[in-house]
């Protein structure tokens, strides 16, 4: 109801749909990378037996080394904001262009009839 008051002619419909798609996909990408980062940090904290935030002596195991290498070599969280911008921008652009194209075609078909 409020949408009809703000945008009475529906000209901006596909813009707002594509903007919503952009932010939704961006939040999924960045949120997923943040989840993986927090998960790997929690996994590493399991190996810190004396809770001094340093891994040394008896705390160093094969599993700890594997978890540490996964945390260090993970570039997903570092590049997720850039990748998210690019990927969600491309998808949102396709939604905008596709929606406008469908709208244009449906108007042309109505005009012929």
């Amino acid at each position: 109801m409020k949408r009809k008051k703000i945008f009475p002619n529906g000209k901006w419909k596909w813009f707002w749909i594509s903007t919503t798609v952009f932010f939704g996909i961006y939040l999924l990408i960045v949120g997923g990378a943040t989840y993986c980062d927090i998960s790997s940090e929690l996994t590493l904290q399991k190996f810190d037996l004396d809770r001094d935030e340093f891994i040394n002596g008896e705390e160093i195991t094969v599993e700890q080394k594997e978890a540490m290498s996964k945390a260090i070599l993970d570039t997903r969280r570092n590049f997720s904001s850039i990748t998210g911008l690019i990927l969600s921008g491309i998808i949102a652009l396709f939604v905008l262009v596709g929606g406008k194209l469908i709208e244009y075609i449906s108007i042309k078909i109505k005009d012929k009839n």
Side-chain angles (χ1 to χ4, degrees), residues 16-32 84 88 91-92:
W16 291 114
I17 290 173
S18 65
T19 301
T20 304
V21 167
F22 172 83
F23 284 115
I25 293 172
Y26 183 76
L27 288 175
L28 281 174
I29 292 171
V30 174
S88 58
I91 293 172

Side-chain angles (χ1 to χ4, degrees), residues 35-112:
Y35 173 79
C36 290
D37 183 38
I38 292 171
S39 176
S40 66
E41 290 294 324
L42 290 175
T43 304
L44 284 176
Q45 287 179 3
K46 291 179 185 177
F47 295 104
D48 189 14
L49 301 175
D50 54 2
R51 304 286 183 227
D52 63 350
E53 297 184 9
F54 293 104
I55 308 287
N56 52 21
E58 298 171 358
E59 299 171 338
I60 299 175
T61 61
V62 175
E63 292 87 11
Q64 185 272 334
K65 287 182 181 180
E66 289 176 8
M68 182 65 88
S69 67
K70 285 182 182 178
I72 291 172
L73 298 175
D74 184 23
T75 58
R76 172 179 27 200
R77 64 182 180 266
N78 296 331
F79 293 112
S80 67
S81 60
I82 297 168
T83 305
L85 282 174
I86 294 169
L87 185 63
S88 58
I90 290 171
I91 293 172
L93 184 65
F94 281 139
V95 168
L96 178 67
V97 171
K100 287 290 191 178
L101 187 64
I102 289 170
E103 188 177 292
Y104 177 76
I105 291 171
S106 66
I107 290 172
K108 288 296 183 182
I109 289 174
K110 285 180 185 178
D111 288 344
K112 282 185 176 183

